Amino acid sequence: MSHATASPTPTADSGRISPTGYAHVRVTVTDIARSRAFYDAVFGWDVAFEVPADADDATREQLGFLYGGVIYSFAGGLFGLRPVAPGDDAFDPDRVGLDHVSFTVSRRSELDAAAEQLDRLGVEHEPVKDAGGYAILELKDPDGIALELTALTG
């Protein structure tokens, strides 16, 4: 696969790639058991892909793209955990790469309910904040990856 090394300067007549949404997001984590426990408790998504414990060699090879992780399915698409980071690594939104992942909920009241659920689970989070036309609830996963729940308010 070839990757461009220079940033092209678009021209008025140049073609554009027009995505219609995201297919999936996958984050790299340090401890798959800890991360799965968190995402299962907080979101409870269905598992779309994982290597079964009793998988044969052909199945393990076919699902090698999981790197021992899991991909969840939810109404917005797919969200995966890739457990290949060293145990002493830490997320930093100020480095090149991911700043945060934001998930949409239908109503502002769902953010309040989510904050209450996070409190019951002992998950630290910011208070729900109004941000001019939408509201957000910020939290972090066990690796410090910044997550956000967002609802339109206007």
Side-chain angles (χ1 to χ4, degrees), residues 12 20 23 30 62 64 69 74 85 107-108 110 118 121 127 129:
T20 58
T30 59
Q62 180 183 18
F74 69 107
R107 293 178 293 285
R108 166 75 164 73
E110 290 183 53
L118 294 172
L121 293 170
K129 300 172 190 168

Side-chain angles (χ1 to χ4, degrees), residues 73-91:
S73 176
F74 69 107
L78 299 173
F79 183 84
L81 305 175
R82 185 175 186 246
V84 297
D88 62 347
D89 201 4
F91 175 77

Side-chain angles (χ1 to χ4, degrees), residues 46-125:
D46 293 331
V47 172
F49 301 99
E50 73 178 321
V51 177
D54 62 349
D56 59 23
D57 289 342
T59 301
R60 289 186 186 285
E61 185 176 330
Q62 180 183 18
L63 296 174
F65 67 91
L66 295 173
Y67 299 93
V70 62
I71 296 178
Y72 294 104
S73 176
F74 69 107
L78 299 173
F79 183 84
L81 305 175
R82 185 175 186 246
V84 297
D88 62 347
D89 201 4
F91 175 77
D92 184 345
D94 293 327
R95 290 181 44 210
V96 171
L98 181 72
D99 178 72
H100 70 280
V101 177
S102 182
F103 300 100
T104 304
V105 297
S106 298
R107 293 178 293 285
R108 166 75 164 73
S109 61
E110 290 183 53
L111 297 178
D112 296 321
E116 291 174 11
Q117 175 66 7
L118 294 172
D119 288 342
R120 283 191 293 277
L121 293 170
V123 175
E124 291 184 30
H125 60 87

